[in-house]
Amino acid sequence: MKMFTNRKTIATSLAMLFIVAGPAQAQTDASRIDELEAKAATMAAELAELRANLEQAKESESVQELQSLRAETVAARQAAQRAETSANEWKNTTSVTHLAGYASADYVSPENGNAAFGVNFNPMFHFQYNDKILWEAELEFEVEENGDTNIGLEYSTIDWFLNDSMILIAGKFLSPLGNFRQNMHPSWINKLPTAPPGFGHDGAAPVSEIGMQLRGGRNFGGQGKFTYAGYVGNGPKLEGEDGEIHAIEAEGFAGNPDDEFVYGGRVSLLPFPKLEVGVSGAFGDVAVVENDGADISGDPTRGYTVFGFDSSYQLGNFDLRGEYISQEVDAEPASIAPEGGKWETWYVQGAYKFGQAKWEGVLRYTDFKSPHADDSQEQLAFGLNYLLAPSAMLKFAYESNSGLAGEATNDDRWLVQLAYGY
Amino acid sequence: MKNRFYQLFAAALVAILLGTGVVLTQRPADAAETPAADPMQFARGAQTWANTCARCHNMRDPKELRDDQWRVAIAHMRVRAGLTGQEARDVLLFLQGSN
């Protein structure tokens, strides 16, 4: 019985314990849950914060990356711009220099006299500032028969582009009178190896001048064009010999021993682009300043006039041109060479390109009349040219000349010339 | 002698008047370089080239010269051939675009 009672007691005690401990146990769980919940909330907050931080970190990293990328792009673009500017600087400079010119090698075989080779070289210099100023100069080097090299300043001018239709030119310039001297004489342009008689030195056409010139052009109508050139210059000097005027030297003198200027110009009209008609004239006073090879002064001045007419026309493969020009000096009874005189010349030339424009046939007739019979010359010239390049020509020509019997001007000639212009 | 002084004086006067007129009427130099503004310029240049550049000598190939060399050559031809400033700018644009 006792045993039984004990067991009962133990059971009761346990039950009691459970009853008492039960709520106590429940109490502990609840607080733990609370605790855990709180912890979880804290952790969630921390996580959110972390996440936010992470986002922020990520964001700031990509912004940085973007910024650095952008900086790199800008730098690359600037470098490219610098490279482009530097690659193009040769195109965009305010000043440019340019070397041009022409050269020719000739072979001349006259009917009477020795056949010979010859050479000349004309370098040309150009210096330009913006659209404002061009300085052009040409030197002429020629080897003479005795082997000396003759050097001349063909021209040297400063051209000031005043506006779209006016250019002011100062210095030594090719005479703007007529067309051959200013535009046709370079060997790569002239379709025959020689200038027409009267268009060279001591001829009928003035060669060059030192002074000032105003020139330009204007358009009219649909396709029409008008060009003009007017100048004032020192003018030519007269060369006396044996009491006569031997020649009018119109080659641009720096001095002005006769103390008189010459005024002149040319106007030309192009009713349509392939036809040009030009008229030239000049007047002034000139004097004999050289007699029998010696300089003289005090010889009275006398009137000087130039008249010229020129025309050119291109039609398909044909190129036709012609020109008349005369220089005249009045008589002056008180002069050492009292008689006046007229030097006049004219030529017509026709050229035809064939064989895919590689070949060109040329025919030219010239009649030069000087007051001195030994200078006068009538010429018929035939030419056949092979065009190696747009500005390189191999020319074969034959001149049938008729001058004073026994003079070189009366000799027929064969000529070959290789000319190149750059 | 006196007569010549008057002539010179008259010439100088004309030159000064002319110069002043020119300076007053000319367009600003920098306005020249605006090729993009004129879509017909290239075509006009080609036309002027075809019409003008074989009048005195054989036609020069646009490929002969570089852009800067054409600048000078055309300035030179403007003087020789009496091109207007506009014609010169047109031809230059054409040649620089064809070399």
Side-chain angles (χ1 to χ4, degrees), chain A residues 276-333:
Chain A
E276 180 172 21
V277 179
V279 180
S280 311
F283 67 91
D285 285 334
V286 293
V288 177
V289 294
E290 195 188 313
N291 194 46
D292 294 330
D295 290 346
I296 60 162
S297 62
D299 202 69
T301 59
R302 57 178 91 201
Y304 165 76
T305 40
V306 184
F307 173 72
F309 173 83
D310 61 86
S311 182
S312 72
Y313 180 53
Q314 286 85 43
L315 181 69
N317 287 346
F318 281 102
D319 180 286
L320 308 170
R321 54 185 72 243
E323 179 167 346
Y324 167 87
I325 196 151
S326 70
Q327 286 186 107
E328 192 170 3
V329 285
D330 298 342
E332 173 48 62

Short mmCIF file of all heavy atoms in Angstrom, two decimals, chain A residues 276-333:
data_model
loop_
_atom_site.label_atom_id
_atom_site.label_comp_id
_atom_site.label_asym_id
_atom_site.label_seq_id
_atom_site.Cartn_x
_atom_site.Cartn_y
_atom_site.Cartn_z
N GLU A 276 36.29 85.20 -128.19
CA GLU A 276 36.78 86.41 -127.53
C GLU A 276 37.23 87.41 -128.58
O GLU A 276 37.91 87.05 -129.55
CB GLU A 276 37.95 86.09 -126.60
CG GLU A 276 38.49 87.34 -125.91
CD GLU A 276 39.54 87.07 -124.83
OE1 GLU A 276 40.15 85.99 -124.87
OE2 GLU A 276 39.71 87.95 -123.97
N VAL A 277 36.86 88.67 -128.38
CA VAL A 277 37.30 89.74 -129.26
C VAL A 277 37.87 90.83 -128.38
O VAL A 277 37.21 91.29 -127.45
CB VAL A 277 36.11 90.31 -130.08
CG1 VAL A 277 36.58 91.44 -130.97
CG2 VAL A 277 35.44 89.22 -130.90
N GLY A 278 39.14 91.20 -128.65
CA GLY A 278 39.79 92.19 -127.79
C GLY A 278 40.32 93.37 -128.59
O GLY A 278 40.74 93.22 -129.74
N VAL A 279 40.30 94.54 -127.95
CA VAL A 279 40.86 95.75 -128.57
C VAL A 279 41.82 96.37 -127.57
O VAL A 279 41.51 96.46 -126.38
CB VAL A 279 39.74 96.77 -128.91
CG1 VAL A 279 40.35 98.01 -129.54
CG2 VAL A 279 38.71 96.16 -129.83
N SER A 280 43.00 96.77 -128.06
CA SER A 280 44.02 97.35 -127.17
C SER A 280 44.48 98.70 -127.70
O SER A 280 44.48 98.93 -128.91
CB SER A 280 45.26 96.47 -127.11
OG SER A 280 44.92 95.15 -126.87
N GLY A 281 44.93 99.54 -126.81
CA GLY A 281 45.49 100.81 -127.23
C GLY A 281 46.36 101.39 -126.14
O GLY A 281 46.17 101.09 -124.95
N ALA A 282 47.35 102.19 -126.54
CA ALA A 282 48.18 102.88 -125.55
C ALA A 282 48.69 104.17 -126.18
O ALA A 282 48.82 104.26 -127.40
CB ALA A 282 49.35 102.01 -125.12
N PHE A 283 48.97 105.15 -125.34
CA PHE A 283 49.53 106.40 -125.85
C PHE A 283 50.43 107.00 -124.79
O PHE A 283 50.34 106.66 -123.60
CB PHE A 283 48.42 107.39 -126.23
CG PHE A 283 47.67 107.87 -125.02
CD1 PHE A 283 48.07 109.02 -124.35
CD2 PHE A 283 46.58 107.16 -124.54
CE1 PHE A 283 47.38 109.45 -123.20
CE2 PHE A 283 45.89 107.58 -123.41
CZ PHE A 283 46.30 108.73 -122.74
N GLY A 284 51.29 107.90 -125.23
CA GLY A 284 52.18 108.57 -124.30
C GLY A 284 53.29 109.22 -125.09
O GLY A 284 53.23 109.28 -126.33
N ASP A 285 54.30 109.72 -124.38
CA ASP A 285 55.44 110.33 -125.04
C ASP A 285 56.67 109.50 -124.77
O ASP A 285 56.85 108.98 -123.67
CB ASP A 285 55.64 111.77 -124.53
CG ASP A 285 54.59 112.71 -125.13
OD1 ASP A 285 54.10 112.39 -126.23
OD2 ASP A 285 54.27 113.72 -124.48
N VAL A 286 57.50 109.39 -125.80
CA VAL A 286 58.75 108.62 -125.65
C VAL A 286 59.89 109.44 -126.25
O VAL A 286 59.66 110.43 -126.94
CB VAL A 286 58.66 107.25 -126.37
CG1 VAL A 286 57.66 106.34 -125.70
CG2 VAL A 286 58.34 107.41 -127.84
N ALA A 287 61.11 109.01 -125.97
CA ALA A 287 62.28 109.74 -126.52
C ALA A 287 63.40 108.77 -126.81
O ALA A 287 63.44 107.67 -126.27
CB ALA A 287 62.73 110.79 -125.50
N VAL A 288 64.31 109.20 -127.67
CA VAL A 288 65.52 108.41 -127.94
C VAL A 288 66.42 108.59 -126.71
O VAL A 288 66.79 109.71 -126.37
CB VAL A 288 66.24 108.91 -129.21
CG1 VAL A 288 67.52 108.12 -129.43
CG2 VAL A 288 65.33 108.81 -130.41
N VAL A 289 66.72 107.52 -126.03
CA VAL A 289 67.56 107.62 -124.83
C VAL A 289 68.84 106.79 -124.98
O VAL A 289 69.65 106.71 -124.07
CB VAL A 289 66.81 107.21 -123.55
CG1 VAL A 289 65.69 108.17 -123.25
CG2 VAL A 289 66.27 105.79 -123.66
N GLU A 290 68.96 106.14 -126.14
CA GLU A 290 70.16 105.37 -126.41
C GLU A 290 70.48 105.55 -127.88
O GLU A 290 69.59 105.41 -128.73
CB GLU A 290 69.88 103.90 -126.10
CG GLU A 290 71.12 103.05 -125.98
CD GLU A 290 70.77 101.56 -125.87
OE1 GLU A 290 69.87 101.21 -125.08
OE2 GLU A 290 71.38 100.77 -126.62
N ASN A 291 71.72 105.95 -128.17
CA ASN A 291 72.08 106.14 -129.57
C ASN A 291 73.41 105.49 -129.88
O ASN A 291 74.39 105.70 -129.16
CB ASN A 291 72.14 107.64 -129.89
CG ASN A 291 72.15 107.88 -131.38
OD1 ASN A 291 71.36 107.28 -132.11
ND2 ASN A 291 73.06 108.73 -131.84
N ASP A 292 73.46 104.70 -130.90
CA ASP A 292 74.66 103.96 -131.29
C ASP A 292 75.30 103.28 -130.08
O ASP A 292 76.52 103.36 -129.86
CB ASP A 292 75.66 104.88 -132.00
CG ASP A 292 75.09 105.37 -133.34
OD1 ASP A 292 74.31 104.62 -133.95
OD2 ASP A 292 75.41 106.51 -133.75
N GLY A 293 74.48 102.70 -129.26
CA GLY A 293 74.97 101.91 -128.13
C GLY A 293 75.27 102.71 -126.88
O GLY A 293 75.59 102.12 -125.84
N ALA A 294 75.18 104.04 -126.92
CA ALA A 294 75.49 104.84 -125.72
C ALA A 294 74.23 105.54 -125.22
O ALA A 294 73.39 105.96 -126.02
CB ALA A 294 76.55 105.88 -126.07
N ASP A 295 74.12 105.66 -123.89
CA ASP A 295 72.97 106.37 -123.31
C ASP A 295 73.08 107.86 -123.65
O ASP A 295 74.16 108.44 -123.56
CB ASP A 295 72.96 106.21 -121.79
CG ASP A 295 72.61 104.78 -121.39
OD1 ASP A 295 72.13 104.03 -122.26
OD2 ASP A 295 72.83 104.42 -120.21
N ILE A 296 71.97 108.48 -124.02
CA ILE A 296 71.98 109.92 -124.24
C ILE A 296 70.81 110.52 -123.49
O ILE A 296 69.86 109.83 -123.13
CB ILE A 296 71.88 110.30 -125.75
CG1 ILE A 296 70.59 109.74 -126.36
CG2 ILE A 296 73.09 109.83 -126.52
CD1 ILE A 296 70.21 110.40 -127.67
N SER A 297 70.86 111.85 -123.25
CA SER A 297 69.72 112.49 -122.61
C SER A 297 69.45 113.81 -123.32
O SER A 297 70.32 114.34 -124.00
CB SER A 297 69.99 112.72 -121.12
OG SER A 297 71.10 113.58 -120.98
N GLY A 298 68.24 114.30 -123.16
CA GLY A 298 67.90 115.60 -123.73
C GLY A 298 67.28 115.54 -125.11
O GLY A 298 66.86 116.55 -125.66
N ASP A 299 67.21 114.37 -125.72
CA ASP A 299 66.55 114.29 -127.03
C ASP A 299 65.06 114.58 -126.82
O ASP A 299 64.46 114.07 -125.87
CB ASP A 299 66.75 112.89 -127.63
CG ASP A 299 66.58 112.90 -129.14
OD1 ASP A 299 67.45 113.48 -129.82
OD2 ASP A 299 65.57 112.35 -129.63
N PRO A 300 64.46 115.40 -127.70
CA PRO A 300 63.06 115.78 -127.44
C PRO A 300 62.09 114.57 -127.48
O PRO A 300 62.33 113.61 -128.21
CB PRO A 300 62.73 116.76 -128.57
CG PRO A 300 63.78 116.57 -129.60
CD PRO A 300 65.00 116.03 -128.91
N THR A 301 61.04 114.68 -126.70
CA THR A 301 60.05 113.59 -126.67
C THR A 301 59.13 113.69 -127.89
O THR A 301 59.03 114.73 -128.52
CB THR A 301 59.17 113.65 -125.40
OG1 THR A 301 58.52 114.91 -125.38
CG2 THR A 301 60.00 113.45 -124.16
N ARG A 302 58.46 112.60 -128.18
CA ARG A 302 57.55 112.54 -129.32
C ARG A 302 56.42 111.56 -129.00
O ARG A 302 56.54 110.74 -128.08
CB ARG A 302 58.30 112.08 -130.55
CG ARG A 302 58.97 110.75 -130.32
CD ARG A 302 59.69 110.24 -131.54
NE ARG A 302 61.06 110.65 -131.63
CZ ARG A 302 61.76 110.66 -132.78
NH1 ARG A 302 61.20 110.30 -133.90
NH2 ARG A 302 63.00 111.03 -132.81
N GLY A 303 55.36 111.66 -129.75
CA GLY A 303 54.17 110.84 -129.47
C GLY A 303 54.38 109.37 -129.78
O GLY A 303 55.10 109.01 -130.71
N TYR A 304 53.74 108.54 -128.98
CA TYR A 304 53.85 107.09 -129.14
C TYR A 304 52.44 106.52 -129.04
O TYR A 304 51.69 106.88 -128.13
CB TYR A 304 54.73 106.55 -128.01
CG TYR A 304 54.68 105.05 -127.79
CD1 TYR A 304 55.35 104.17 -128.64
CD2 TYR A 304 54.00 104.51 -126.68
CE1 TYR A 304 55.32 102.80 -128.41
CE2 TYR A 304 53.97 103.13 -126.44
CZ TYR A 304 54.64 102.29 -127.32
OH TYR A 304 54.62 100.93 -127.09
N THR A 305 52.07 105.67 -130.00
CA THR A 305 50.73 105.05 -129.93
C THR A 305 50.81 103.57 -130.27
O THR A 305 51.62 103.13 -131.08
CB THR A 305 49.74 105.68 -130.94
OG1 THR A 305 50.42 105.93 -132.17
CG2 THR A 305 49.09 106.94 -130.43
N VAL A 306 49.94 102.81 -129.60
CA VAL A 306 49.82 101.38 -129.87
C VAL A 306 48.35 101.11 -130.20
O VAL A 306 47.46 101.68 -129.56
CB VAL A 306 50.20 100.53 -128.64
CG1 VAL A 306 50.16 99.05 -128.97
CG2 VAL A 306 51.58 100.91 -128.13
N PHE A 307 48.14 100.28 -131.19
CA PHE A 307 46.78 99.84 -131.44
C PHE A 307 46.79 98.33 -131.67
O PHE A 307 47.67 97.82 -132.37
CB PHE A 307 46.16 100.56 -132.64
CG PHE A 307 44.83 99.98 -133.01
CD1 PHE A 307 43.72 100.21 -132.19
CD2 PHE A 307 44.68 99.15 -134.12
CE1 PHE A 307 42.48 99.63 -132.49
CE2 PHE A 307 43.46 98.57 -134.42
CZ PHE A 307 42.35 98.81 -133.61
N GLY A 308 45.85 97.62 -131.09
CA GLY A 308 45.82 96.17 -131.28
C GLY A 308 44.40 95.66 -131.36
O GLY A 308 43.46 96.24 -130.81
N PHE A 309 44.27 94.55 -132.07
CA PHE A 309 42.99 93.88 -132.18
C PHE A 309 43.27 92.38 -132.15
O PHE A 309 44.19 91.91 -132.81
CB PHE A 309 42.33 94.27 -133.52
CG PHE A 309 41.08 93.50 -133.81
CD1 PHE A 309 39.86 93.90 -133.27
CD2 PHE A 309 41.11 92.35 -134.60
CE1 PHE A 309 38.71 93.17 -133.52
CE2 PHE A 309 39.96 91.61 -134.85
CZ PHE A 309 38.75 92.03 -134.30
N ASP A 310 42.54 91.65 -131.33
CA ASP A 310 42.79 90.20 -131.29
C ASP A 310 41.48 89.45 -131.14
O ASP A 310 40.49 89.99 -130.64
CB ASP A 310 43.73 89.84 -130.13
CG ASP A 310 43.15 90.21 -128.79
OD1 ASP A 310 42.39 89.41 -128.21
OD2 ASP A 310 43.45 91.33 -128.27
N SER A 311 41.49 88.20 -131.60
CA SER A 311 40.29 87.40 -131.49
C SER A 311 40.66 85.93 -131.41
O SER A 311 41.68 85.49 -131.96
CB SER A 311 39.41 87.66 -132.71
OG SER A 311 38.21 86.92 -132.57
N SER A 312 39.84 85.16 -130.73
CA SER A 312 40.07 83.71 -130.70
C SER A 312 38.72 83.00 -130.63
O SER A 312 37.74 83.55 -130.12
CB SER A 312 40.93 83.32 -129.50
OG SER A 312 40.19 83.44 -128.31
N TYR A 313 38.72 81.78 -131.17
CA TYR A 313 37.46 81.04 -131.25
C TYR A 313 37.76 79.56 -131.18
O TYR A 313 38.66 79.07 -131.86
CB TYR A 313 36.77 81.39 -132.59
CG TYR A 313 35.45 80.69 -132.81
CD1 TYR A 313 34.45 80.75 -131.85
CD2 TYR A 313 35.20 79.98 -133.98
CE1 TYR A 313 33.23 80.10 -132.05
CE2 TYR A 313 33.98 79.34 -134.19
CZ TYR A 313 33.00 79.41 -133.21
OH TYR A 313 31.81 78.78 -133.40
N GLN A 314 37.05 78.84 -130.34
CA GLN A 314 37.22 77.39 -130.27
C GLN A 314 35.93 76.71 -130.70
O GLN A 314 34.85 77.08 -130.24
CB GLN A 314 37.53 76.93 -128.83
CG GLN A 314 38.93 77.24 -128.35
CD GLN A 314 39.02 78.64 -127.81
OE1 GLN A 314 38.16 79.09 -127.09
NE2 GLN A 314 40.08 79.35 -128.18
N LEU A 315 36.09 75.75 -131.59
CA LEU A 315 34.92 75.01 -132.05
C LEU A 315 35.32 73.55 -132.13
O LEU A 315 36.14 73.17 -132.98
CB LEU A 315 34.49 75.54 -133.43
CG LEU A 315 33.25 74.85 -134.02
CD1 LEU A 315 32.00 75.21 -133.23
CD2 LEU A 315 33.07 75.25 -135.48
N GLY A 316 34.78 72.73 -131.25
CA GLY A 316 35.15 71.32 -131.23
C GLY A 316 36.65 71.17 -131.09
O GLY A 316 37.26 71.74 -130.20
N ASN A 317 37.26 70.47 -132.05
CA ASN A 317 38.71 70.26 -132.00
C ASN A 317 39.50 71.38 -132.66
O ASN A 317 40.72 71.33 -132.72
CB ASN A 317 39.07 68.93 -132.67
CG ASN A 317 38.66 67.76 -131.80
OD1 ASN A 317 38.35 67.93 -130.62
ND2 ASN A 317 38.63 66.57 -132.38
N PHE A 318 38.80 72.39 -133.17
CA PHE A 318 39.48 73.51 -133.81
C PHE A 318 39.78 74.62 -132.81
O PHE A 318 38.97 74.92 -131.94
CB PHE A 318 38.60 74.10 -134.92
CG PHE A 318 38.62 73.31 -136.19
CD1 PHE A 318 37.57 72.47 -136.50
CD2 PHE A 318 39.70 73.42 -137.07
CE1 PHE A 318 37.58 71.73 -137.68
CE2 PHE A 318 39.71 72.69 -138.25
CZ PHE A 318 38.66 71.84 -138.56
N ASP A 319 40.94 75.23 -132.97
CA ASP A 319 41.29 76.43 -132.20
C ASP A 319 41.78 77.46 -133.21
O ASP A 319 42.78 77.24 -133.87
CB ASP A 319 42.39 76.10 -131.19
CG ASP A 319 42.80 77.30 -130.36
OD1 ASP A 319 43.49 78.21 -130.90
OD2 ASP A 319 42.43 77.36 -129.18
N LEU A 320 41.04 78.56 -133.33
CA LEU A 320 41.39 79.58 -134.30
C LEU A 320 41.69 80.87 -133.56
O LEU A 320 40.97 81.25 -132.64
CB LEU A 320 40.22 79.83 -135.27
CG LEU A 320 39.64 78.58 -135.94
CD1 LEU A 320 38.34 78.93 -136.66
CD2 LEU A 320 40.66 78.00 -136.91
N ARG A 321 42.77 81.55 -133.97
CA ARG A 321 43.04 82.84 -133.35
C ARG A 321 43.83 83.74 -134.27
O ARG A 321 44.50 83.28 -135.20
CB ARG A 321 43.74 82.68 -132.01
CG ARG A 321 45.01 81.85 -132.02
CD ARG A 321 45.55 81.68 -130.60
NE ARG A 321 44.73 80.78 -129.80
CZ ARG A 321 44.08 81.14 -128.70
NH1 ARG A 321 44.14 82.36 -128.26
NH2 ARG A 321 43.38 80.26 -128.03
N GLY A 322 43.76 85.02 -134.00
CA GLY A 322 44.49 85.98 -134.81
C GLY A 322 44.66 87.27 -134.04
O GLY A 322 43.95 87.53 -133.06
N GLU A 323 45.65 88.07 -134.49
CA GLU A 323 45.92 89.30 -133.76
C GLU A 323 46.65 90.29 -134.66
O GLU A 323 47.50 89.91 -135.45
CB GLU A 323 46.80 88.96 -132.54
CG GLU A 323 47.20 90.14 -131.71
CD GLU A 323 47.79 89.73 -130.35
OE1 GLU A 323 47.66 88.56 -129.96
OE2 GLU A 323 48.38 90.61 -129.70
N TYR A 324 46.28 91.55 -134.52
CA TYR A 324 47.01 92.63 -135.20
C TYR A 324 47.52 93.55 -134.13
O TYR A 324 46.80 93.85 -133.16
CB TYR A 324 46.06 93.40 -136.14
CG TYR A 324 46.67 94.70 -136.61
CD1 TYR A 324 47.48 94.73 -137.74
CD2 TYR A 324 46.48 95.88 -135.89
CE1 TYR A 324 48.08 95.92 -138.16
CE2 TYR A 324 47.08 97.08 -136.30
CZ TYR A 324 47.88 97.09 -137.43
OH TYR A 324 48.49 98.25 -137.82
N ILE A 325 48.77 94.01 -134.25
CA ILE A 325 49.25 95.01 -133.29
C ILE A 325 50.29 95.91 -133.94
O ILE A 325 51.07 95.46 -134.78
CB ILE A 325 49.77 94.37 -131.98
CG1 ILE A 325 49.89 95.43 -130.89
CG2 ILE A 325 51.07 93.61 -132.20
CD1 ILE A 325 49.71 94.91 -129.49
N SER A 326 50.22 97.19 -133.60
CA SER A 326 51.20 98.13 -134.16
C SER A 326 51.68 99.10 -133.09
O SER A 326 50.93 99.46 -132.18
CB SER A 326 50.58 98.90 -135.32
OG SER A 326 49.62 99.81 -134.83
N GLN A 327 52.95 99.49 -133.21
CA GLN A 327 53.52 100.54 -132.36
C GLN A 327 54.01 101.62 -133.30
O GLN A 327 54.71 101.31 -134.27
CB GLN A 327 54.74 100.03 -131.59
CG GLN A 327 54.45 99.11 -130.44
CD GLN A 327 55.72 98.79 -129.66
OE1 GLN A 327 55.90 99.27 -128.57
NE2 GLN A 327 56.57 97.97 -130.22
N GLU A 328 53.70 102.84 -132.99
CA GLU A 328 54.09 103.91 -133.90
C GLU A 328 54.70 105.06 -133.10
O GLU A 328 54.20 105.41 -132.03
CB GLU A 328 52.84 104.40 -134.64
CG GLU A 328 53.16 105.30 -135.79
CD GLU A 328 51.93 105.57 -136.68
OE1 GLU A 328 50.82 105.09 -136.35
OE2 GLU A 328 52.11 106.28 -137.69
N VAL A 329 55.78 105.64 -133.64
CA VAL A 329 56.32 106.85 -133.03
C VAL A 329 56.30 107.97 -134.06
O VAL A 329 56.54 107.75 -135.25
CB VAL A 329 57.77 106.67 -132.49
CG1 VAL A 329 57.77 105.87 -131.21
CG2 VAL A 329 58.67 106.04 -133.52
N ASP A 330 55.98 109.18 -133.57
CA ASP A 330 55.88 110.33 -134.46
C ASP A 330 57.28 110.80 -134.88
O ASP A 330 58.26 110.50 -134.22
CB ASP A 330 55.17 111.49 -133.75
CG ASP A 330 53.74 111.10 -133.37
OD1 ASP A 330 53.24 110.12 -133.95
OD2 ASP A 330 53.16 111.76 -132.48
N ALA A 331 57.28 111.59 -135.96
CA ALA A 331 58.54 112.23 -136.37
C ALA A 331 58.84 113.38 -135.40
O ALA A 331 57.92 113.95 -134.81
CB ALA A 331 58.38 112.76 -137.79
N GLU A 332 60.13 113.70 -135.23
CA GLU A 332 60.52 114.82 -134.35
C GLU A 332 61.76 115.47 -134.98
O GLU A 332 62.88 114.98 -134.80
CB GLU A 332 60.80 114.29 -132.93
CG GLU A 332 61.36 115.30 -131.98
CD GLU A 332 60.60 116.62 -131.98
OE1 GLU A 332 59.41 116.61 -131.64
OE2 GLU A 332 61.21 117.65 -132.32
N PRO A 333 61.52 116.55 -135.73
CA PRO A 333 62.62 117.14 -136.52
C PRO A 333 63.85 117.49 -135.68
O PRO A 333 64.97 117.44 -136.18
CB PRO A 333 61.99 118.40 -137.11
CG PRO A 333 60.51 118.19 -137.03
CD PRO A 333 60.26 117.27 -135.88
#
